[in-house]
Amino acid sequence: MVRKSSTLPAGYSEDPSAPPMLRYQSSLPKLPVPALESTCSKYLETVKPLVTPEAYARTEAVVSEFLTSPLAQQLQERLKDRANEHTSWLSEWWNDVAYMAYRDPVVVFVSYFYVHANDPLRKTPAKRAASLIKAMIPFRDLVESGRLEPEKVRGAPLCMASYKWLFHSCRYPVKPSDIAEKFDPASNNHIVVLRKNRFFLVPLSNPTTGREFSAAELEAQFEKIIEYAGEKPAETPIGALTSDNRDLWADAREALIRASPSGKNAESLKKIEASMIVLALDDTKPVTREQISWSTWVGDGRNRFFDKHQVVVYENGRSGFLGEHSCMDGTSTLRLNEFMLASLVHNKIDLGSPDVDAASLPPVQELTFDINENIKTLVKESEQRFDKLVSEHDLHVLQYEGFGKNFTKHHKVSPDATAQLIKQLAFHKMFGRPGVTYESAQTRKYQLGRTEVIRSASNESKKWAEAMLDTSAKKDPVALRELFRAAAKRHTTYAAWAADAQGVDRHLFGLKRLLKEGEQLPAIYSDPSFSKSSHWELSTSQLSSPFFDGWGYGEVVPDGYGLGYAIGDDYIRWTITSLKRRSDELKHYLAESATEVKHMLEAAERKEKEAAKL
């Protein structure tokens, strides 16, 4: 029996047999299959600003041919059939292609990071780490018991299925496609701490009485680990294997297990993989935003276990979070981190007694591995590949404090659209054309929904950027603002389509997946405009939190940029990553473009006020 809730939008209901966190799941709508005509129309519109008129004419012809072809209609019907037969027509495919079957290293290419705002009360690594873990446990308990309140957007509940993978889970390297496993929290009520490339198991409660350890007791355990690990890092950092190509890591993992006939290596791995989370206690003291962002993103590649979420804490008490992306997107880990940090800032967490009975604490337990010459060689090769990969990258952070969402709302434009248009103007300054841009939109309003692409480069954004850069005529700020507002409106419209799963990219992906053996690839997919318009030079995503001091991820194409950004009341912050493709110049042009947008909007407002006085 499913009872209807009067507080929900039409079509939603509560399932009393489900735990509270999942009570809306069965009534969430399924991911829709967009109309073929709509997708083709949007596709043409988004291609136009990126290609020459001649190329666009060819693309129009192939799209028209595709739209009227019997094969396109058959593919559309197959996709509808799949949608009827599956909870989500996309989920299984996307999780495999975008994550599990992806063979490049997760670090740089898949992982993402958050930099926590500084905690002025906890300046030592053990104290800061203990408070974060202690604040994480209540959230873990809410998730695992199913008592966490579901998220909603404008009153409509979101899919909460991905929360299963927040704790006590791990990604495994498997050929040809990775898998993930979830472990029982009750029988694995521990974390694993990394220090000096060594692994230590720390129970979260007294194994005899079941009493949860206090923050002070966890702090004492972490202090013991720091002392026990000493000054010299372990010479064979097993964690480095997780930084490698997934096929190479799969082979190395098998070799690591074979290297220990007693099963010790397999058991140590399992204890790491089953832990609530990994805590990395680094021995560095990052100060600048660039330093701590870089350290949280990649570290040194050794004192990590990249197949799991991990909290990273530094010698000076600074901290961050590294997300394993395969089973969930950033909105879920954002909620976790905000819960932890807000709870500590507002003293909402019971940290327990400050007194510590050292004799009652379990001894420090190191998880060791049997290591032979082959394992030493495999680890060394992984280290070398990691060092080479990371050395080819750079990272810059722009903390632009000229304005934020308060300013944009005053001028009646979307904060997110403003940030996206600033990126387009900056790219125009660098390259003289629009940047092919991916902005992530969550589709969790649907069952098993993940993301869709907001194609941020538009005809309107191109027209505005070109007008801003036009030196042939005197610029009218009011006219420029109208072009800007038109481009911003276009962006918010596409963003709404994407959130409703009515974008271009996932639909075209799904149709292509349903081609049968012997069927010819439609020309729309081999047309150069298709690859050009999905070659994401600017991979962008917004996550904003007053409890973060940065966040980011890597580029998705070799000649592109990763651009994680946050919009505060009075700032916009971008983290720029790339394969050393003039990232410092892009940082400069973003700041310059943001200031030009500010001056344009202020000049337009002044001109209007002066005209009103006449």
Side-chain angles (χ1 to χ4, degrees):
M1 173 84 55
V2 175
R3 69 178 185 273
K4 294 184 178 179
S5 170
S6 59
T7 61
L8 292 172
Y12 294 94
S13 57
E14 297 185 19
D15 180 357
S17 67
M21 185 176 78
L22 302 175
R23 67 186 184 272
Y24 303 124
Q25 287 293 114
S26 60
S27 69
L28 293 179
K30 285 188 171 185
L31 192 74
V33 176
L36 201 56
E37 296 79 5
S38 174
T39 294
C40 288
S41 174
K42 291 169 187 166
Y43 174 66
L44 283 173
E45 184 183 348
T46 59
V47 163
K48 191 172 185 178
L50 306 175
V51 300
T52 65
E54 295 77 18
Y56 182 72
R58 290 194 300 271
T59 299
E60 275 190 310
V62 299
V63 170
S64 177
E65 175 190 347
F66 176 70
L67 190 56
T68 57
S69 69
L71 179 57
Q73 303 304 320
Q74 292 171 18
L75 294 175
Q76 180 75 348
E77 289 305 311
R78 291 173 195 169
L79 195 56
K80 289 180 179 179
D81 289 342
R82 179 178 171 87
N84 289 331
E85 296 165 1
H86 291 73
T87 304
S88 166
W89 63 259
L90 175 63
S91 177
E92 182 181 342
W93 283 341
W94 190 250
N95 291 350
D96 185 61
V97 171
Y99 296 105
M100 294 304 192
Y102 185 77
R103 307 324 286 163
D104 282 337
V106 292
V107 59
V108 174
F109 295 114
V110 181
S111 304
Y112 59 94
F113 68 88
Y114 304 140
V115 174
H116 295 158
N118 191 28
D119 183 348
L121 302 179
R122 300 171 179 91
K123 291 296 189 181
T124 66
K127 184 177 287 294
R128 178 57 166 164
S131 69
L132 290 170
I133 296 301
K134 190 67 174 172
M136 181 183 290
I137 293 172
F139 196 84
R140 187 271 307 262
D141 294 344
L142 288 172
V143 170
E144 298 298 343
S145 67
R147 292 180 292 114
L148 183 70
E149 184 62 22
E151 295 167 50
K152 294 180 181 178
V153 172
R154 288 185 282 277
L158 301 182
C159 180
M160 300 293 288
S162 67
Y163 275 80
K164 167 185 175 181
W165 303 103
L166 254 183
F167 305 105
H168 302 282
S169 67
C170 191
R171 175 175 177 159
Y172 282 80
V174 176
K175 298 179 183 179
S177 183
D178 286 2
I179 60 172
E181 186 170 347
K182 170 74 175 184
F183 295 87
D184 174 42
S187 55
N188 295 284
N189 190 29
H190 66 270
I191 63 170
V192 166
V193 179
L194 268 159
R195 176 70 176 183
K196 298 288 185 178
N197 309 339
R198 297 162 69 175
F199 297 87
F200 300 89
L201 187 146
V202 176
L204 296 173
S205 62
N206 186 297
T208 303
T209 66
R211 179 185 64 82
E212 186 180 301
F213 288 128
S214 67
E217 288 171 321
L218 290 174
E219 180 183 351
Q221 294 292 70
F222 299 156
E223 291 283 10
K224 284 183 189 177
I225 288 171
I226 291 171
E227 180 183 2
Y228 187 86
E231 294 298 321
K232 187 178 179 182
E235 293 182 0
T236 306
I238 296 298
L241 296 172
T242 68
S243 74
D244 215 335
N245 170 279
R246 302 306 293 178
D247 288 345
L248 295 176
W249 168 213
D251 292 340
R253 188 177 187 278
E254 291 181 3
L256 184 62
I257 291 172
R258 287 196 306 269
S260 178
S262 68
K264 182 172 78 169
N265 289 359
E267 184 62 25
S268 291
L269 283 172
K270 185 176 180 181
K271 287 178 178 176
I272 297 167
E273 294 151 356
S275 64
M276 180 178 80
I277 203 162
V278 167
L279 167 65
L281 295 176
D282 275 13
D283 57 6
T284 58
K285 299 178 181 180
V287 175
T288 68
R289 287 191 174 95
E290 278 83 2
Q291 288 172 343
I292 193 168
S293 294
W294 184 266
S295 295
T296 310
W297 182 32
V298 298
D300 65 358
R302 281 88 169 158
N303 200 53
R304 295 287 186 276
F305 195 85
F306 290 108
D307 284 0
K308 285 180 67 71
H309 297 315
Q310 48 205 309
V311 172
V312 185
V313 178
Y314 302 95
E315 285 287 277
N316 55 2
R318 293 303 308 273
S319 63
F321 179 92
L322 185 65
E324 201 294 293
H325 205 347
S326 60
C327 292
M328 61 172 52
D329 299 306
T331 51
S332 305
T333 54
L334 170 68
R335 187 175 178 187
L336 162 64
N337 279 267
E338 285 203 309
F339 179 94
M340 294 157 51
L341 299 170
S343 297
L344 293 170
V345 168
H346 299 296
N347 297 314
K348 297 292 186 182
I349 292 295
D350 179 8
L351 297 177
S353 171
D355 299 323
V356 177
D357 178 9
S360 69
L361 296 179
V364 169
Q365 179 185 351
E366 183 172 5
L367 301 176
T368 59
F369 294 88
D370 292 330
I371 296 173
N372 57 27
E373 290 304 316
N374 181 44
I375 298 303
K376 290 180 181 179
T377 299
L378 291 172
V379 169
K380 186 62 64 180
E381 291 173 347
S382 292
E383 290 182 88
Q384 291 168 351
R385 283 186 287 268
F386 171 86
D387 290 343
K388 180 178 185 298
L389 174 64
V390 169
S391 71
E392 294 166 349
H393 281 79
D394 62 2
L395 179 151
H396 292 269
V397 179
L398 170 63
Q399 178 82 6
Y400 181 79
E401 297 180 346
F403 66 85
K405 64 182 178 184
N406 289 338
F407 177 84
T408 61
K409 289 180 177 179
H410 170 78
H411 288 278
K412 298 180 173 59
V413 287
S414 154
D416 186 70
T418 299
Q420 287 290 335
L421 288 168
I422 289 168
K423 283 191 272 286
Q424 288 299 318
L425 181 56
F427 199 90
H428 271 269
K429 287 172 177 280
M430 282 186 74
F431 300 105
R433 60 176 178 82
V436 184
T437 307
Y438 178 122
E439 182 183 356
S440 180
Q442 74 166 356
T443 54
R444 285 176 52 215
K445 64 193 293 183
Y446 302 104
Q447 292 188 44
L448 302 183
R450 291 200 61 167
T451 60
E452 173 61 281
V453 182
I454 304 170
R455 290 189 163 211
S456 298
S458 66
N459 296 300
E460 291 83 357
S461 68
K462 181 180 180 181
K463 186 175 181 180
W464 167 74
E466 289 177 344
M468 289 289 289
L469 296 173
D470 183 7
T471 58
S472 64
K474 186 177 180 181
K475 298 173 186 175
D476 176 7
V478 175
L480 288 172
R481 185 188 63 185
E482 292 314 302
L483 291 175
F484 181 81
R485 283 178 169 170
K489 183 179 179 181
R490 179 70 187 82
H491 180 79
T492 55
T493 298
Y494 202 107
W497 287 340
D500 287 337
Q502 297 293 320
V504 165
D505 294 273
R506 304 297 187 255
H507 187 198
L508 290 179
F509 167 81
L511 295 173
K512 186 179 179 182
R513 290 281 299 196
L514 287 169
L515 282 168
K516 295 180 179 178
E517 187 175 350
E519 290 179 336
Q520 186 173 357
L521 181 72
I524 187 175
Y525 294 105
S526 56
D527 175 43
S529 293
F530 182 80
S531 57
K532 183 175 181 64
S533 68
S534 56
H535 184 77
W536 308 119
E537 297 170 304
L538 298 176
S539 174
T540 77
S541 183
Q542 184 204 157
L543 286 175
S544 300
S545 171
F547 302 104
F548 288 178
D549 198 32
W551 86 282
Y553 49 86
E555 75 290 341
V556 300
V557 295
D559 56 343
Y561 302 88
L563 279 171
Y565 62 106
I567 305 172
D569 288 343
D570 298 298
Y571 69 85
I572 308 176
R573 181 174 53 242
W574 284 278
T575 301
I576 309 158
T577 60
S578 79
L579 284 164
K580 296 186 176 178
R581 297 188 62 82
R582 299 159 53 198
S583 300
D584 54 342
E585 290 183 34
L586 181 55
K587 175 182 177 179
H588 167 82
Y589 283 124
L590 283 168
E592 186 175 81
S593 298
T595 298
E596 288 175 7
V597 166
K598 179 182 181 181
H599 291 167
M600 172 199 70
L601 293 173
E602 289 175 335
E605 184 178 54
R606 284 196 302 271
K607 186 173 181 180
E608 281 188 337
K609 287 181 177 178
E610 290 167 1
K613 293 177 182 178
L614 298 177

